[in-house]
Amino acid sequence: MMLALGAAPVQAEQKQDFGDYRVHYSAQNSTDLNLEVARRYGIVRDPRLALVMLTVQQAGGEPVAATVRGEARNLLGQKQPLEMREVREGKSIYYLGLFAISHRETQAFDFEIHPAGSTAVFRLRFSQQFFVD
């Protein structure tokens, strides 16, 4: 699902179901993005920056626009609000956010997702460790 943005290494699919909706998500170092793709979407490739990507789909796989709010928090409790930017590519809808990382740092992510046309609000939480080259 996230391959359309051209990430260099293919990451294992991460997803969580919320009733009739499914959220796909991934986080990776910004330097893992293909240079051309980074330019096209205005993403800074920096070894100290990482990118989180989300998509929201209905049960049948149809992309859904959503309001996405989130933050990243390291193990010391330092929070970074994530400014999530919507990107449309064909029928796909992505939500992208950049955040700072340090070598061997684990970030915990906490998102609130409100699909358009629904009264539902979902909480997505996951964590990931990052390595700086």
Side-chain angles (χ1 to χ4, degrees):
M1 181 53 58
M2 300 296 172
L3 297 178
L5 285 178
V10 176
Q11 306 220 345
E13 180 180 24
Q14 297 174 307
K15 63 186 176 205
Q16 186 169 339
D17 292 330
F18 298 94
D20 293 337
Y21 296 92
R22 174 171 286 168
V23 177
H24 293 262
Y25 59 94
S26 71
Q28 65 190 62
N29 293 41
S30 65
T31 55
D32 290 343
L33 286 176
N34 170 303
L35 183 58
E36 177 186 321
V37 170
R39 280 187 189 140
R40 183 175 350 153
Y41 295 103
I43 298 169
V44 176
R45 294 176 75 237
D46 182 313
R48 300 261 175 213
L49 288 177
L51 173 73
V52 64
M53 296 180 280
L54 304 175
T55 63
V56 181
Q57 298 176 338
Q58 290 182 323
E62 190 67 28
V64 176
T67 300
V68 179
R69 292 185 182 96
E71 70 179 17
R73 185 181 66 254
N74 67 16
L75 295 177
L76 297 174
Q78 297 167 320
K79 296 179 183 180
Q80 296 182 70
L82 297 170
E83 187 175 319
M84 301 301 289
R85 179 171 55 114
E86 183 180 278
V87 173
R88 292 182 182 244
E89 186 176 84
K91 288 187 173 186
S92 298
I93 304 171
Y94 300 96
Y95 295 91
L96 311 175
L98 285 172
F99 56 96
I101 56 171
S102 297
H103 185 57
R104 297 181 61 171
E105 181 174 56
T106 297
Q107 291 282 342
F109 300 93
D110 188 3
F111 288 97
E112 186 176 279
I113 303 164
H114 180 162
S118 170
T119 60
V121 177
F122 313 124
R123 299 278 318 237
L124 172 67
R125 292 182 172 138
F126 67 97
S127 62
Q128 184 168 316
Q129 186 175 28
F130 294 89
F131 299 89
V132 176
D133 294 331

